[in-house]
Amino acid sequence: MKNSTNSMLDKIRVYKSMTENAVIDLLLNWNNDRKSKDLRTFLSGIFYPDQKAYFEYEGFYVTKTILREEIQLEKGKKPGDIDVMIIPFKKTKIYFERTSVYEIKIVRPTRKNPSRNANSLGVTQVLGLVEDGFPLIGLIHVSITEPLKEEEKMTIKLSTRKANKEFLPEEGKSFEDYFVDIKIDQFPGWSSENQIKRLITYNLPDCIGISSHGLEFYDDGSITICSCDVSYQKVAACSFNPLTSKQTILKIKNHFLKNREKYKLVLNKIPS
């Protein structure tokens, strides 16, 4: 998999059907051409609750698709499994009491049905995670949209020169002279924002972080991810669950110690 930020001018967006499990794998292996992976889509539970602590973490132990029975949680309740579980650590300590868990839902809007919703919003599942007593909880929606036709795209201006303090226009030119009109496929970003607006209407507890992203696939094999406007950052930031259970934390620890092979090590990387 190649994640890239190549020019918008030299690639074409394509549709790629992905299962929920494949999307989870992609998000957990995101590297954006970096040497180290990062967990940028899971910041609601590993960054926002305690930003100072985040920068002190050496890394995270990550596992996915864990049946609730594996952690010895009460049977017959939702969710039936935990999509993603992340445990931060330093060299001297593993912070089981700061474990974050995530429910992930896929949305597949089409041009004919742009407002198409996920089959399940995941609201029942995340409320179940609150009752289960997990310390930090996130709900993530991922939109995989159909590419727009050329006439449906939005025209924006793109600078042909990098913007920085050292750049000055050539004599007789202004900054505007370096702009060119390009067309962009705004569907992934619009869909991502549409989903976050839907989720906000459910008035979920503050301890649940809500985030939404759009995946874009291109003909050169590159993948980009777009997120909602920063004005929605507040709802992405979860707080510690007031119903956090010491028993649940102990169950997480026991599962980790007995199933180390199911946990992948991801070193901390500050997202740009």
Side-chain angles (χ1 to χ4, degrees):
M1 178 184 68
K2 178 172 65 174
N3 306 318
S4 175
T5 54
N6 292 338
S7 170
M8 300 178 190
L9 303 175
D10 59 7
K11 56 185 180 180
I12 299 172
R13 197 163 83 81
V14 297
Y15 182 76
K16 185 174 182 180
S17 178
M18 298 187 76
T19 64
E20 181 178 292
N21 195 53
V23 170
I24 292 173
D25 281 338
L26 188 153
L27 298 180
L28 290 176
N29 288 281
W30 194 266
N31 59 30
N32 201 31
D33 290 336
R34 301 168 186 261
K35 293 181 180 179
S36 300
K37 301 176 180 65
D38 68 62
L39 299 170
R40 64 182 62 193
T41 51
F42 302 96
L43 294 181
S44 61
I46 62 176
F47 174 73
Y48 288 116
D50 191 338
Q51 297 176 24
K52 182 179 179 181
Y54 171 82
F55 293 108
E56 297 175 351
Y57 295 146
E58 181 182 348
F60 307 91
Y61 291 110
V62 181
T63 189
K64 68 183 182 84
T65 321
I66 301 297
L67 295 175
R68 62 185 296 113
E69 288 82 0
E70 288 186 56
I71 310 182
Q72 305 300 313
L73 296 173
E74 185 178 348
K75 296 180 180 179
K77 288 192 172 183
K78 290 188 176 182
D81 62 8
I82 291 89
D83 288 337
V84 173
M85 185 159 67
I86 300 177
I87 307 170
F89 72 91
K90 296 181 186 177
K91 290 182 179 179
T92 57
K93 184 176 181 180
I94 300 175
Y95 293 95
F96 296 105
E97 71 276 13
R98 298 181 189 175
T99 298
S100 55
V101 293
Y102 304 82
E103 178 70 20
I104 297 177
K105 294 298 179 183
I106 312 302
V107 192
R108 306 179 194 276
T110 63
R111 291 172 43 253
K112 290 185 178 180
N113 187 7
S115 296
R116 182 178 180 180
N117 207 347
N119 293 332
S120 167
L121 289 174
V123 170
T124 301
Q125 286 86 343
V126 289
L127 290 175
L129 292 171
V130 172
E131 292 182 5
D132 285 331
F134 286 98
L136 297 161
I137 299 149
L139 173 59
I140 301 173
H141 277 214
V142 179
S143 289
I144 302 177
T145 60
E146 183 181 10
L148 296 180
K149 292 184 176 181
E150 197 67 18
E151 63 271 19
E152 297 169 331
K153 296 178 181 178
M154 177 187 296
T155 300
I156 66 168
K157 293 192 177 294
L158 176 72
S159 175
T160 57
R161 300 290 296 269
K162 291 183 178 181
N164 55 58
K165 295 180 180 179
E166 298 177 358
F167 168 67
L168 292 174
E170 297 176 32
E171 187 175 350
K173 288 188 175 183
S174 66
F175 287 104
E176 288 75 14
D177 292 325
Y178 296 94
F179 291 143
V180 295
D181 287 338
I182 66 166
K183 288 190 172 183
I184 63 165
D185 189 332
Q186 71 275 17
F187 200 179
W190 178 88
S191 179
S192 175
E193 186 166 323
N194 193 45
Q195 285 304 117
I196 205 75
K197 288 178 179 178
R198 278 174 169 156
L199 293 173
I200 288 173
T201 64
Y202 284 83
N203 294 314
L204 292 171
D206 290 340
C207 62
I208 298 174
I210 306 170
S211 55
S212 179
H213 307 279
L215 284 180
E216 304 174 44
F217 304 93
Y218 293 89
D219 59 351
D220 64 350
S222 63
I223 306 170
T224 60
I225 187 167
C226 63
S227 300
C228 293
D229 187 86
V230 293
S231 60
Y232 297 102
Q233 182 173 306
K234 184 176 180 180
V235 297
C238 70
S239 57
F240 282 92
N241 180 8
L243 300 180
T244 296
S245 165
K246 291 183 179 180
Q247 286 186 333
T248 298
I249 294 171
L250 181 59
K251 290 174 181 178
I252 294 169
K253 181 178 180 179
N254 289 338
H255 183 268
F256 174 80
L257 295 176
K258 294 177 182 178
N259 302 275
R260 288 291 294 267
E261 74 283 357
K262 292 187 177 183
Y263 288 80
K264 179 174 62 176
L265 174 65
V266 178
L267 295 178
N268 200 9
K269 185 75 175 181
I270 300 172
S272 60

